[in-house]
């Protein structure tokens, strides 16, 4: 299977049905195919050939959607660029992949002069925004109107679909090579769990450069549905789009869900047509899950765990298990397309209930890291992707995260898994979100340090937090220091940037 296949089928079966809604623009499946084929023709005219890389640096839109089909249609490889990166980071990815063609919208057009200086191989820049076209760029709409359509290249399942750079939460990003088969294996596994509404309508609020949103996009396209776009996540814009356009499916991270359901304007909007909310990046706290179920009373919640290297899903926690007080803290079980086990440092599977490294195998495991054979060999061993996540599996196959292996805190010779401490902290009535990191300590080597974002109007002292945690976790796991901040640093994918917190609080006194 390949990424453009769903578009052909949708045009064959329902050409006049709605494909995309973006502001005032509405395109049918037939119109989308026409635009995609002309965009692909324009890329060919600009010198794009088989296997060439084409970058997209833009906010969410129907044009982004069209490009995700037009690039493989032109027999090329897509490089979605992280919208939160610096010019230096963007240039690194463009240079490493030898990208010569880039699409940018109004938000990122001002970066092009710097990018051209840092990436001199860039031969053409196409402006995909709605504002005035900057000097030296080509117009997205003009290219469509003036280019002839070309036949689909029909790239095959084992062909490279895209190079997706890791989020960079744990170090310098690497380009993850995913084939069309990789992406579809993950998509079909989610579809088998009923995580996508057939001929439904999905909202793209999470950033489209991120693989989690692409998985949502491919899944809804596979089932003949429609796509609604807002430029970037905003709680009111999300609520309004759900209400106005009858959205049935959304992919969000817990922090986004919290902002949506706790927004004072939320009661103004009808959320009853939402059938599925898929979330990832982290499990939801019990208090947040309860509020989310109240707000989306007709909705199934599905948690997906994975990583870019897994296209991206490895395990799924389906809706029914969210009612179990123990299982809802898990990552779920191996998705239908995935094999999962927990191993020791020698790669030997450990007994159930024993913490080790979570490893994954299947057709969704990446081809490798772009131009990094040593890193690829270290990550994929004997066909198993080593996630770097510590966890354990219970007797029923449910996987529980312990920690990123590199995030584990060793305090006084004891291993402390930060996620376990965080799960305790977020159950405090004053806490909205939290992160636990290691900071240097003269006595203990490392100390458990809690960084907390409070619910508006609430307060919290270290003594109050410690008293709360004493009821739930062992004494050596209890935070020995506390910082209350107004907003936790987040990646574009909605993950808390612990690396930044470790740097910020490394000199915190006991």
């Amino acid at each position: 299977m390949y990424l453009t296949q769903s578009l052909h089928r949708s045009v064959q079966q329902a050409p006049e049905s709605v494909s995309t809604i973006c502001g005032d623009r509405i395109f049918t499946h037939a119109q989308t195919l026409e635009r995609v084929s002309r965009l692909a023709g324009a890329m060919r005219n600009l010198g794009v050939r088989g296997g060439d890389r084409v970058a997209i640096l833009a906010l969410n839109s129907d044009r982004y959607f069209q490009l995700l089909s037009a690039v493989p249609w032109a027999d090329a490889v897509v490089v979605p660029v992280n919208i939160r990166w610096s010019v230096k980071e963007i240039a690194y990815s463009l240079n490493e992949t030898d990208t010569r063609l880039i699409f940018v919208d109004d938000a990122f057009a001002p970066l092009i002069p710097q990018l051209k200086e840092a990436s001199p191989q860039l031969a053409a820049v196409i402006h995909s925004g709605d504002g005035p076209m900057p000097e030296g760029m080509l117009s997205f709409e003009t290219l469509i109107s003036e280019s002839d359509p070309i036949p689909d290249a029909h790239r095959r399942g084992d062909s490279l679909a895209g190079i997706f750079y890791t989020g960079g939460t744990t170090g310098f990003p690497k380009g993850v090579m995913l084939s069309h088969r990789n992406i579809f294996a993950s998509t079909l596994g989610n579809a088998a769990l009923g995580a996508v509404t057939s001929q439904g309508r999905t909202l793209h609020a999470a950033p489209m450069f991120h693989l989690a949103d692409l998985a949502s996009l491919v899944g809804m396209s596979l089932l003949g549905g429609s796509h609604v776009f807002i430029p970037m996540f905003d709680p009111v814009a999300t609520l309004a789009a759900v209400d106005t356009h009858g959205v049935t499916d959304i992919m969000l991270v817990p922090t986004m869900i919290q902002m949506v359901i706790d927004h004072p304007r939320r009661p103004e909007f009808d959320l009853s047509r939402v059938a599925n909310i898929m979330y990832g990046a982290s499990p939801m706290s019990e208090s947040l899950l309860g509020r989310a179920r109240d707000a989306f009373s007709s909705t199934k919640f599905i948690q997906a765990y994975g990583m870019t290297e897994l296209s991206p899903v490895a395990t799924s926690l389906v809706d029914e298990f969210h009612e179990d007080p123990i299982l809802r803290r898990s990552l779920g079980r191996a998705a239908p397309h995935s094999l999962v086990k927990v191993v020791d440092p020698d790669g030997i599977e450990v007994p159930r209930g024993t913490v080790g490294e979570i490893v994954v195998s299947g057709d969704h495991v990446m081809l490798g890291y772009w131009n990094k054979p040593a890193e690829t060999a270290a990550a994929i061993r004997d066909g198993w992707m080593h996630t770097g996540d510590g966890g354990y599996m219970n007797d029923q196959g449910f996987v529980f995260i312990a920690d990123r292996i590199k995030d584990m805190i060793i305090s006084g010779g004891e291993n402390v898994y930060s996620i376990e401490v965080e799960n305790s902290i977020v159950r405090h009535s004053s806490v909205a979100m939290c992160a636990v990191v290691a900071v240097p300590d003269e006595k203990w080597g490392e100390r458990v340090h809690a960084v907390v974002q409070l619910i508006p109007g609430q307060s919290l002292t270290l003594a109050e937090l410690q008293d709360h945690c004493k009821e739930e976790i062992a004494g050596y796991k209890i935070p020995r220091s506390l910082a209350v901040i107004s907003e936790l640093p987040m990646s574009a994918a909605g993950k808390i940037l612990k690396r930044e917190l470790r740097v910020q609080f490394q000199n915190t006194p006991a």
Side-chain angles (χ1 to χ4, degrees), residues 189-207:
N190 282 335
L193 293 172
V196 185
T197 304
S198 179
Q199 298 182 333
R201 186 164 283 184
T202 194
L203 173 65
H204 298 275

CSV table of all heavy atoms in Angstrom, one decimal, residues 189-207:
chain,number,residue,atom,x,y,z
A,189,GLY,N,-3.4,-1.2,11.8
A,189,GLY,CA,-3.6,-1.7,13.2
A,189,GLY,C,-4.5,-0.8,14.0
A,189,GLY,O,-5.4,-1.4,14.7
A,190,ASN,N,-4.4,0.5,13.9
A,190,ASN,CA,-5.4,1.4,14.6
A,190,ASN,C,-6.8,1.2,14.1
A,190,ASN,O,-7.8,1.2,14.8
A,190,ASN,CB,-4.9,2.8,14.4
A,190,ASN,CG,-3.8,3.2,15.3
A,190,ASN,OD1,-3.6,2.6,16.3
A,190,ASN,ND2,-3.0,4.2,14.9
A,191,ALA,N,-6.9,1.1,12.7
A,191,ALA,CA,-8.3,0.9,12.2
A,191,ALA,C,-8.9,-0.4,12.7
A,191,ALA,O,-10.1,-0.5,12.9
A,191,ALA,CB,-8.2,0.9,10.6
A,192,ALA,N,-8.1,-1.4,12.8
A,192,ALA,CA,-8.6,-2.7,13.3
A,192,ALA,C,-9.2,-2.6,14.7
A,192,ALA,O,-10.1,-3.4,15.1
A,192,ALA,CB,-7.5,-3.8,13.3
A,193,LEU,N,-8.7,-1.6,15.5
A,193,LEU,CA,-9.2,-1.4,16.9
A,193,LEU,C,-10.4,-0.5,16.9
A,193,LEU,O,-11.0,-0.2,18.0
A,193,LEU,CB,-8.1,-0.8,17.7
A,193,LEU,CG,-6.9,-1.7,18.0
A,193,LEU,CD1,-5.8,-0.9,18.7
A,193,LEU,CD2,-7.3,-2.9,18.9
A,194,GLY,N,-10.9,-0.1,15.7
A,194,GLY,CA,-12.0,0.8,15.7
A,194,GLY,C,-11.7,2.3,16.1
A,194,GLY,O,-12.6,3.0,16.6
A,195,ALA,N,-10.4,2.6,16.0
A,195,ALA,CA,-10.0,4.0,16.4
A,195,ALA,C,-10.3,5.1,15.4
A,195,ALA,O,-10.0,6.2,15.7
A,195,ALA,CB,-8.5,3.9,16.7
A,196,VAL,N,-10.8,4.7,14.2
A,196,VAL,CA,-11.2,5.7,13.2
A,196,VAL,C,-12.6,5.4,12.7
A,196,VAL,O,-13.0,4.3,12.6
A,196,VAL,CB,-10.2,5.6,12.0
A,196,VAL,CG1,-10.5,6.7,11.0
A,196,VAL,CG2,-8.8,5.6,12.4
A,197,THR,N,-13.4,6.5,12.6
A,197,THR,CA,-14.8,6.4,12.1
A,197,THR,C,-14.8,6.3,10.6
A,197,THR,O,-14.3,7.1,9.9
A,197,THR,CB,-15.6,7.6,12.6
A,197,THR,OG1,-15.5,7.8,14.0
A,197,THR,CG2,-17.0,7.5,12.2
A,198,SER,N,-15.5,5.2,10.1
A,198,SER,CA,-15.6,5.0,8.7
A,198,SER,C,-16.4,6.2,8.1
A,198,SER,O,-17.5,6.6,8.6
A,198,SER,CB,-16.3,3.7,8.4
A,198,SER,OG,-16.5,3.6,7.0
A,199,GLN,N,-15.8,6.8,7.1
A,199,GLN,CA,-16.4,8.0,6.4
A,199,GLN,C,-16.7,9.1,7.4
A,199,GLN,O,-17.7,9.8,7.2
A,199,GLN,CB,-17.6,7.6,5.6
A,199,GLN,CG,-17.3,6.6,4.5
A,199,GLN,CD,-18.5,6.2,3.6
A,199,GLN,OE1,-19.6,6.3,4.1
A,199,GLN,NE2,-18.3,5.8,2.4
A,200,GLY,N,-15.9,9.2,8.4
A,200,GLY,CA,-16.1,10.3,9.4
A,200,GLY,C,-15.4,11.6,9.0
A,200,GLY,O,-15.1,11.8,7.8
A,201,ARG,N,-15.1,12.4,10.0
A,201,ARG,CA,-14.5,13.7,9.7
A,201,ARG,C,-13.5,13.9,10.9
A,201,ARG,O,-13.9,14.0,12.0
A,201,ARG,CB,-15.6,14.7,9.7
A,201,ARG,CG,-15.1,16.1,9.3
A,201,ARG,CD,-16.3,17.0,8.9
A,201,ARG,NE,-16.8,16.7,7.6
A,201,ARG,CZ,-17.8,17.4,7.0
A,201,ARG,NH1,-18.3,18.4,7.6
A,201,ARG,NH2,-18.1,17.1,5.8
A,202,THR,N,-12.2,14.1,10.5
A,202,THR,CA,-11.2,14.2,11.5
A,202,THR,C,-10.7,15.7,11.5
A,202,THR,O,-10.6,16.3,10.5
A,202,THR,CB,-10.0,13.3,11.3
A,202,THR,OG1,-9.2,13.2,12.4
A,202,THR,CG2,-9.2,13.7,10.1
A,203,LEU,N,-10.3,16.1,12.7
A,203,LEU,CA,-9.8,17.5,12.9
A,203,LEU,C,-8.3,17.4,13.0
A,203,LEU,O,-7.8,16.7,13.9
A,203,LEU,CB,-10.4,18.2,14.1
A,203,LEU,CG,-9.9,19.5,14.5
A,203,LEU,CD1,-10.1,20.6,13.4
A,203,LEU,CD2,-10.4,20.0,15.8
A,204,HIS,N,-7.6,18.3,12.3
A,204,HIS,CA,-6.2,18.4,12.4
A,204,HIS,C,-5.9,19.7,13.2
A,204,HIS,O,-5.8,20.8,12.6
A,204,HIS,CB,-5.5,18.4,11.0
A,204,HIS,CG,-5.8,17.2,10.2
A,204,HIS,ND1,-4.9,16.1,10.3
A,204,HIS,CD2,-6.7,16.8,9.3
A,204,HIS,CE1,-5.4,15.1,9.5
A,204,HIS,NE2,-6.5,15.6,8.9
A,205,ALA,N,-5.7,19.4,14.5
A,205,ALA,CA,-5.3,20.5,15.4
A,205,ALA,C,-3.9,20.4,15.9
A,205,ALA,O,-3.2,21.4,16.1
A,205,ALA,CB,-6.3,20.5,16.6
A,206,ALA,N,-3.5,19.1,16.1
A,206,ALA,CA,-2.1,18.9,16.4
A,206,ALA,C,-1.2,19.2,15.1
A,206,ALA,O,-1.7,19.1,14.0
A,206,ALA,CB,-1.9,17.4,16.8
A,207,PRO,N,0.0,19.5,15.3
A,207,PRO,CA,0.9,19.9,14.2
A,207,PRO,C,1.0,18.8,13.1
A,207,PRO,O,1.3,17.7,13.5
A,207,PRO,CB,2.2,20.3,14.8
A,207,PRO,CG,2.2,19.6,16.1
A,207,PRO,CD,0.8,19.6,16.6
